[in-house]
Amino acid sequence: MPAVGGIGPGSGKEYLGNLTPFVTVTCIVAAMGGLIFGYDIGISGGVTTMTSFLQKFFRKVWEKKEADKSTNQYCQYDSQTLTMFTSSLYLAALLASLVASIVTRKLGRKLSMLFGGLLFFAGALINGFAKAVWMLIVGRMLLGFGVGFANQSVPLYLSEMAPYKYRGALNIGFQLSITVGILIANVLNYFFAKIKGGWGWRLSLGGAMVPALIITIGSLVLPDTPNSMIERGQTEEAREKLKRIRGVDDVDEEFRDLVAASDASKLVEHPWKNILQRKYRPHLTMAILIPFFQQLTGHYVIMFMLLVLFNTIGFGSDASLMSAVITGVVNVAATLVSIYGVDKWGRRFLFLEGGVQMLICQAVVAACIGAKFGINGNPGDLPKWYAIVVVLFICIYVAGFAWSWGPLGWLVPSEIFPLEIRSAAQSINVSVNMLFTFAVAQVFLTMLCHLKFGLFLFFAFFVVLMSIFVYYFLPETKGIPIEEMSQVWKSHWYWSRFVEDLDYPNGGLEMRKKGQVPKNV
């Protein structure tokens, strides 16, 4: 049996190509699609702590928060209507990702990104001018449709455009944009909350139009990927585009593999049905469990509810906003560490190291909050050292996520799927991600009210489970060409039983043998 989670010898195939300025700029522009997701994560938690916003739309929450300062701090924001405002976006993104799968495959990655930008812009416009809760919900759902399209197409675009040796670093540009979006949102919340007249929340919500315009304009100027062009019959144009992307004239080997992958892909009439076949069991498992575990780290809950969380554990509003800005800076810096190391240290190392780091921090934060707040949620006066310790370990936790499960949760699924199921599998990945983001966001404040400091231990339990899963079942994908990814499954101690008897010489495609017609996979 091979080493746990390892892969055997590679195919030895190395495509020619360089990290050209053209592909670098292209991937940077495409990665900015993550800004819309990150901005929303950061902005939604901020506006829900603004007094004027709560008074206008969620008055019962404001009354419960203000009426009795001695009330149980764990439960002061427990409102299903308030959490529906936040989590409705993720339910909409789940639904949109299913449609985006068809658009991404049939019409190309670019058009899917364009739809994402336009829908997000419309949602931001409605939210900025909202007069009632229903307008907030409608706006949030349009934002969610935009996120669904962008999260479906951008990671695929990056993985297909990037040279395989630099695929990890360029793909993580998407996560970097998410973290930059969170940081920008936190900074804006800090200043907008100080605007006299209490209308700063409109600027926070309406400001989402800016990242929406970035992805919309970017999608109009970006080239489509050679994979997508070949899929849509633009073969010769795809060859010329591949030459420009790779910066060399000799792209014959990679181009042949892309065409072969596309030919076999066209034989698949029902990718949603085919993904259930036994040979795709590893891919389907990763498409479900990686986003599931990513959300059960508790990170996105902490990020988009960070201000609520800091207010809940006794910080003043200014201190809460500043703490969120600090953690936002840590988030961006740690993502840069991942960009530097993902193609050097590998995916598995970062996954496992990040898991250990998050586990330790969650245990410490639970102990700190439990010691001061106890069961009844009345902490009394909180000393400065306590606040510093809590913020410090939340920052260390955020760093652990930002260089492991944050970016790799998008990178690994986008690079392991063979072309014939790629759009459908990525749609499952995004849908599961959004489903559990919605579920966790919807029940988070209720869980905090009932589980109290034990909420952090709840997420710590899943960090243990996901680290065990990675150690035993996730192979290393560093340095493997995207169309040659089948080797990681054929040489894995467990997944080889599903694919070892299949002829997969080209990244998971059942190619024709001499004198045979390709099977309809």
Side-chain angles (χ1 to χ4, degrees):
M1 184 177 83
V4 172
I7 64 171
S11 64
K13 183 174 293 188
E14 292 189 7
Y15 299 137
L16 298 177
N18 306 305
L19 184 61
T20 62
F22 175 75
V23 77
T24 302
V25 172
T26 296
C27 287
I28 289 173
V29 173
M32 286 185 173
L35 284 174
I36 63 174
F37 193 24
Y39 185 88
D40 182 80
I41 291 171
I43 217 71
S44 56
V47 297
T48 54
T49 65
M50 294 183 185
T51 299
S52 57
F53 181 80
L54 291 176
Q55 286 177 329
K56 184 173 181 63
F57 297 107
F58 305 99
R59 193 166 187 85
K60 289 184 178 179
V61 176
W62 174 77
E63 289 174 351
K64 183 167 64 172
K65 179 175 178 289
E66 296 296 325
D68 184 3
K69 294 294 185 179
S70 65
T71 191
N72 188 330
Q73 295 292 301
Y74 291 123
C75 300
Q76 64 175 334
Y77 287 97
D78 184 15
S79 166
Q80 288 302 303
T81 307
L82 179 61
T83 51
M84 179 56 74
F85 159 71
T86 301
S87 58
S88 57
L89 179 145
Y90 304 101
L91 184 61
L94 187 160
L95 299 175
S97 65
L98 303 178
V99 178
S101 163
I102 300 172
V103 175
T104 301
R105 188 181 190 203
K106 298 293 186 181
L107 302 178
R109 286 52 165 155
K110 279 184 56 176
L111 198 59
S112 187
M113 292 163 63
L114 175 63
F115 287 165
L118 293 174
L119 288 166
F120 199 87
F121 183 89
L125 189 64
I126 292 175
N127 273 353
F129 289 99
K131 299 291 185 180
V133 173
W134 70 266
M135 292 183 69
L136 288 178
I137 301 299
V138 169
R140 293 287 293 172
M141 294 192 73
L142 286 172
L143 294 175
F145 292 144
V147 167
F149 273 92
N151 286 9
Q152 162 77 16
S153 53
V154 173
L156 288 185
Y157 184 95
L158 294 171
S159 286
E160 291 178 348
M161 288 291 286
Y164 71 93
K165 292 181 179 179
Y166 306 99
R167 187 176 62 244
L170 292 176
N171 190 288
I172 290 176
F174 177 67
Q175 178 67 19
L176 179 63
S177 289
I178 292 177
T179 61
V180 170
I182 293 172
L183 175 59
I184 291 172
N186 287 337
V187 172
L188 292 179
N189 278 334
Y190 180 78
F191 289 105
F192 290 160
K194 297 178 179 296
I195 293 178
K196 294 180 180 180
W199 51 273
W201 62 267
R202 292 193 182 277
L203 294 179
S204 291
L205 295 178
M209 289 186 286
V210 176
L213 284 174
I214 291 175
I215 185 176
T216 300
I217 296 172
S219 66
L220 295 174
V221 301
L222 288 173
D224 219 334
T225 68
N227 311 60
S228 179
M229 295 172 72
I230 293 171
E231 264 192 305
R232 290 177 286 124
Q234 302 172 8
T235 308
E236 288 307 313
E237 296 94 326
R239 180 192 288 272
E240 295 306 312
K241 186 65 65 178
L242 188 61
K243 289 180 180 179
R244 186 178 181 192
I245 290 170
R246 299 294 179 248
V248 295
D249 290 329
D250 185 7
V251 295
D252 290 346
E253 185 174 29
E254 182 175 5
F255 182 73
R256 281 196 301 268
D257 285 347
L258 292 179
V259 171
S262 178
D263 289 344
S265 173
K266 290 175 183 176
L267 298 175
V268 179
E269 296 179 4
H270 306 290
W272 287 96
K273 178 180 177 181
N274 281 271
I275 199 173
L276 299 177
Q277 291 185 21
R278 177 180 173 85
K279 64 180 178 178
Y280 298 128
R281 197 69 49 79
H283 311 82
L284 183 60
T285 300
M286 298 302 164
I288 294 173
L289 289 186
I290 288 179
F292 168 77
F293 282 131
Q294 187 191 51
Q295 294 315 308
L296 269 297
T297 62
H299 173 77
Y300 280 141
V301 169
I302 287 177
M303 290 310 296
F304 67 64
M305 288 295 188
L306 199 56
L307 301 181
V308 173
L309 180 63
F310 283 151
N311 270 338
T312 297
I313 61 178
F315 296 2
S317 59
D318 275 1
S320 298
L321 287 163
M322 183 52 68
S323 298
V325 171
I326 292 171
T327 53
V329 172
V330 171
N331 204 14
V332 172
T335 305
L336 293 173
V337 172
S338 187
I339 290 176
Y340 171 80
V342 67
D343 291 316
K344 296 178 181 291
W345 309 323
R347 282 65 159 157
R348 279 170 48 82
F349 171 79
L350 288 174
F351 266 130
L352 294 171
E353 190 282 331
V356 171
Q357 187 168 324
M358 287 188 291
L359 178 63
I360 293 172
C361 292
Q362 284 167 328
V364 172
V365 171
C368 288
I369 295 178
K372 298 299 293 182
F373 285 76
I375 300 299
N376 61 16
N378 295 319
D381 293 329
L382 296 173
K384 286 186 177 180
W385 68 262
Y386 167 84
I388 292 173
V389 169
V390 172
V391 173
L392 175 63
F393 276 93
I394 285 182
C395 284
I396 297 173
Y397 166 86
V398 167
F401 179 88
W403 61 50
S404 64
W405 279 87
L408 299 181
W410 296 107
L411 166 61
V412 173
S414 72
E415 67 182 0
I416 63 173
F417 303 136
L419 184 62
E420 71 270 23
I421 62 166
R422 190 170 295 161
S423 292
Q426 178 67 1
S427 181
I428 292 173
N429 177 55
V430 174
S431 297
V432 172
N433 191 300
M434 294 299 111
L435 174 63
F436 282 96
T437 305
F438 167 78
V440 173
Q442 188 63 28
V443 302
F444 164 65
L445 293 174
T446 301
M447 290 175 67
L448 180 61
C449 183
H450 291 86
L451 294 181
K452 303 173 174 59
F453 61 87
L455 179 64
F456 293 93
L457 300 180
F458 171 84
F459 290 125
F461 169 74
F462 283 97
V463 170
V464 173
L465 285 185
M466 71 191 193
S467 297
I468 294 173
F469 169 76
V470 166
Y471 184 77
Y472 284 103
F473 295 106
L474 183 68
E476 181 58 67
T477 55
K478 178 187 74 172
I480 309 294
I482 195 170
E483 302 302 340
E484 291 290 311
M485 198 61 71
S486 65
Q487 63 180 288
V488 304
W489 312 115
K490 290 193 289 186
S491 57
H492 189 272
W493 73 273
Y494 179 76
W495 298 120
S496 59
R497 68 190 67 184
F498 296 98
V499 299
E500 62 183 350
D501 296 325
L502 298 175
D503 183 17
Y504 276 164
N506 194 45
L509 292 168
E510 194 171 4
M511 305 303 294
R512 75 176 70 195
K513 296 178 182 178
K514 288 184 179 180
Q516 293 182 342
V517 177
K519 298 178 182 179
N520 189 337
V521 296

